[in-house]
Amino acid sequence: MPTVHLLDYVAGNVRSLENAIKRIGYTVTWVKEPADIAKAEKLILPGVGHFGHCLSKFASGGYVEPIKAHIQSGKPFMGICVGLQALLDGSEEDPAVPGFGIIPGQLTRFSDHDKSVPHIGWNSANTSRKGDAEGKSLYGLRPLSKYYYVHSYAVPYRDGELEKDGWTVATARYGDEEFVGAVARKNVFATQFHPEKSGAAGLRVLQAFLDGDYVQDLDVNPAVAVSKEGLTRRIIACLDVRTNDEGDLVVTKGDQYDVRDKGGSSVGGKVRNLGKPVDMARKYYEQGADEVTFLNITSFRSCPLADTPMLEILRQTSESVFVPLTIGGGIRDTIDTDGTRVSALEVATMYFKSGADKVSIGSDAVTAAEEYFAAGKQLSGKTAIESISKAYGNQAVVVSVDPRRVYVTSPKDTPHHTIRTQRLGPNAEEFCWYQCTIKGGREGRDFDVQQLVTAVEEMGAGEILLNCIDKDGTNSGFDLELINDVKHAVKIPVIASSGAGNPAHFEEVFEKTPTDAALGAGIFHRGEYTVRQVKEYLQGKELLIRDFESDL
């Protein structure tokens, strides 16, 4: 099989890129040292994270000049995400660190005045502007396809500026900002999005680049207006994974966080077994899920970290699921079975190398936030959130929040942030606050959800997974009041979770809150609705939803 060289400089999840390349019929040779680049015919530079951190890694490793020499030689080169950003002159993210200077321009941060930052999700990469598409496809890009982006900084698009230097540009729009989604000239192709995480649409792009298929005819020639530029509403499938009573790793689902059938283990109630994790993740991917989240709700204290079953689940899943994968559970400083101390960053790195794109932190985030407030809102620089986001970027860190309602007669009855609720308490109370919990909801803390989300945003979290214990397993819809309250408190994206029982609940949460994504679990596991049925329902309501593509 033909070969492509891939540079790995601890750039997050490169396993998925390797799997995607193998899927389309190429083998991967890893660049281990600068001299290897001269041996490469086709070179791909991936990357996620902080511009300055990544560019400094290139420079200290001696890779900058060999990469430039490869490009200047006329050999095929592709940059992905930070691999595109590296080609620019520089970035606002770290003005002191220069880029390669191959593409003129500077990266700027998205405005968070009217939208969440980072920009996370599925958006366009459209080469057609001011009229109909040209009927041609640049490296397999299609006007109706959506691609997965995750970044805070971008190259603003200015009409004709890059084109005058011979670059072909594909753009995307986020809010009122138009930016460069992909760019190509001669042997160079670079994407801000992640093709390896963009399903069949992304695999098509990778294949076109590796095959040298620069321009293709489009089967359709839609008007730009029809292509519906902009960020889609994400539908995420969540799988709670734990060992059952027989010791098998299974997907389960709780009823207000109780995963056992009625009666509990003391009277014979067994852990609900809803299927095998890898098989179910593949099924949801094939139904069109925009992301898949694994929440590890069991522990493997007697198991060495390197042999943790969740690592193998990620490895197997990433071989056939080409959308973002998030893993939660156990992302903390720990001591391995042989007595070795392992940092949260090292644990996260294991997950990233196994196929995860994001890690989710739960109880430890609450503890870190409590300490942040106790220290007078001073960052320690030592928390898991801070260390992981510094190394891999804030888009790699999700904080999973497990709140429950506490009703009060008046806001004066508590020092915590309260809301006036339409869903009255047991004694007709009109106010409530949301108490943070830890240990899977088993322990409540004297700490409210607004304190938590504002603290973790300051620490560097890039997204909030907002659960609700009161709604979990009820099939009664999302807690809209909670979601609105949290969205107004932070600028980072929020994923609505807990309570989805039918497609109308997804419509309701997107119409009545500014949530960035919505997550379903039991509704999909029990087979009541498929992911595709939910998305088709939302499309029927004229919400911007990614179409599932199966063909390359």
Side-chain angles (χ1 to χ4, degrees):
M1 289 192 294
T3 299
V4 57
H5 280 70
L6 194 60
L7 177 59
D8 177 17
Y9 56 97
V10 193
N13 177 15
V14 292
R15 177 179 289 270
S16 289
L17 180 56
E18 179 183 18
N19 287 337
I21 291 170
K22 289 179 178 177
R23 171 59 69 93
I24 56 180
Y26 284 76
T27 58
V28 170
T29 298
W30 293 98
V31 173
K32 299 295 185 182
E33 58 185 11
D36 291 341
I37 293 178
K39 307 170 189 175
E41 179 60 31
K42 296 180 175 72
L43 177 64
I44 296 181
L45 178 63
V48 294
H50 188 277
F51 177 89
H53 176 80
C54 293
L55 270 292
S56 297
K57 284 272 190 181
F58 296 149
S60 63
Y63 288 107
V64 175
E65 292 308 316
I67 292 172
K68 288 183 177 180
H70 176 94
I71 293 172
Q72 291 166 0
S73 73
K75 294 180 181 179
F77 172 87
M78 182 176 185
I80 296 173
C81 196
V82 175
L84 176 149
Q85 297 183 358
L87 301 178
L88 275 291
D89 293 324
S91 173
E92 282 185 355
E93 190 169 17
D94 197 333
V97 178
F100 295 171
I102 293 169
I103 301 175
Q106 295 278 333
L107 294 136
T108 60
R109 191 177 190 273
F110 285 117
S111 169
D112 60 13
H113 175 69
D114 60 344
K115 55 188 179 294
S116 300
V117 178
H119 169 238
I120 298 179
W122 298 76
N123 209 324
S124 306
N126 202 340
T127 56
S128 56
R129 286 175 293 276
K130 296 181 180 178
D132 289 344
E134 299 173 354
K136 300 292 184 181
S137 167
L138 171 68
Y139 284 123
L141 294 172
R142 295 181 182 177
L144 294 178
S145 293
K146 296 292 183 178
Y147 306 92
Y148 182 76
Y149 292 83
V150 53
H151 59 122
S152 298
Y153 293 81
V155 185
Y157 177 72
R158 297 180 179 89
D159 193 14
E161 192 169 283
L162 291 174
E163 289 88 344
K164 69 178 173 25
D165 291 328
W167 294 97
T168 300
V169 183
T171 63
R173 183 173 296 279
Y174 187 36
D176 61 359
E177 298 183 76
E178 189 174 16
F179 65 94
V180 174
V183 63
R185 187 179 69 181
K186 298 179 180 178
N187 60 307
V188 177
F189 178 48
T191 65
Q192 181 60 68
F193 63 84
H194 287 268
E196 77 280 11
K197 288 287 146 185
S198 299
L203 296 178
R204 185 188 307 124
V205 170
L206 279 174
Q207 184 164 42
F209 167 75
L210 293 174
D211 291 348
D213 202 354
Y214 189 98
V215 177
Q216 303 166 320
D217 290 329
L218 284 172
D219 294 332
V220 294
N221 189 19
V224 174
V226 177
S227 65
K228 295 183 178 180
E229 286 188 327
L231 190 65
T232 67
R233 308 301 185 99
R234 283 180 287 155
I235 303 299
I236 300 173
C238 181
L239 295 86
D240 292 339
V241 180
R242 64 158 292 163
T243 50
N244 64 7
D245 298 305
E246 288 73 40
D248 301 318
L249 213 58
V250 300
V251 175
T252 188
K253 183 67 188 78
D255 181 357
Q256 295 186 317
Y257 288 33
D258 181 2
V259 299
R260 293 183 178 274
D261 290 325
K262 289 183 179 180
S265 59
S266 62
V267 292
K270 291 189 174 184
V271 171
R272 298 183 185 94
N273 180 353
L274 299 175
K276 296 180 179 179
V278 176
D279 292 343
M280 294 186 71
R282 186 184 304 115
K283 178 178 72 173
Y284 296 143
Y285 166 65
E286 292 171 351
Q287 290 177 2
D290 296 315
E291 296 183 24
V292 174
T293 294
F294 292 105
L295 296 182
N296 173 16
I297 60 174
T298 191
S299 62
F300 303 99
R301 294 185 180 89
S302 61
C303 179
L305 283 173
D307 297 327
T308 299
M310 288 305 299
L311 295 177
E312 184 58 28
I313 285 178
L314 284 169
R315 294 185 192 111
Q316 292 184 26
T317 301
S318 66
E319 291 176 359
S320 58
V321 175
F322 298 104
V323 295
L325 303 175
T326 300
I327 175 68
I331 316 296
R332 62 172 67 92
D333 296 340
T334 189
I335 298 177
D336 211 343
T337 53
D338 63 357
T340 303
R341 292 184 177 276
V342 183
S343 70
L345 176 58
E346 291 172 308
V347 175
T349 298
M350 290 182 191
Y351 282 124
F352 291 138
K353 287 185 175 181
S354 297
D357 300 281
K358 297 183 275 189
V359 293
S360 177
I361 300 173
S363 295
D364 282 20
V366 178
T367 302
E370 290 174 334
E371 293 172 353
Y372 167 79
F373 272 90
K377 298 184 179 181
Q378 294 295 313
L379 296 173
S380 71
K382 300 177 181 178
T383 66
I385 296 171
E386 291 168 273
S387 62
I388 297 169
S389 64
K390 182 179 180 181
Y392 292 103
N394 63 349
Q395 79 289 331
V397 182
V398 181
V399 168
S400 182
V401 184
D402 297 320
R404 64 161 55 93
R405 286 187 170 216
V406 177
Y407 285 97
V408 291
T409 303
S410 166
K412 297 178 181 179
D413 295 339
T414 177
H416 294 291
H417 170 74
T418 60
I419 64 167
R420 182 186 291 272
T421 177
Q422 298 297 311
R423 190 153 53 92
L424 303 183
N427 298 308
E429 296 97 337
E430 295 182 3
F431 298 90
C432 72
W433 65 281
Y434 287 94
Q435 179 188 40
C436 293
T437 68
I438 60 174
K439 301 177 182 177
R442 296 188 300 275
E443 181 181 320
R445 306 294 293 177
D446 188 20
F447 202 67
D448 64 60
V449 72
Q450 190 163 107
Q451 289 176 295
L452 174 59
V453 297
T454 53
V456 299
E457 182 178 36
E458 285 298 316
M459 292 176 196
E463 202 166 24
I464 299 294
L465 172 54
L466 186 56
N467 307 296
C468 179
I469 294 176
D470 309 282
K471 284 286 191 174
D472 184 61
T474 64
N475 299 326
S476 61
F478 299 93
D479 190 330
L480 306 179
E481 294 175 332
L482 169 63
I483 297 162
N484 278 317
D485 193 48
V486 168
K487 277 295 297 181
H488 291 147
V490 296
K491 296 292 188 181
I492 57 178
V494 171
I495 302 168
S497 176
S498 304
N502 59 60
H505 289 149
F506 289 88
E507 178 195 8
E508 181 182 50
V509 76
F510 286 130
E511 293 287 6
K512 295 184 178 180
T513 80
T515 191
D516 300 274
L519 178 149
I523 181 177
F524 302 136
H525 303 338
R526 292 186 293 267
E528 296 162 358
Y529 296 93
T530 66
V531 176
R532 185 169 301 182
Q533 285 173 325
V534 169
K535 297 185 83 171
E536 288 174 347
Y537 176 89
L538 295 175
Q539 287 175 322
K541 299 297 182 179
E542 299 187 348
L543 293 173
L544 186 55
I545 301 294
R546 177 181 72 100
D547 283 325
F548 176 75
E549 299 182 58
S550 59
D551 68 299
L552 297 186

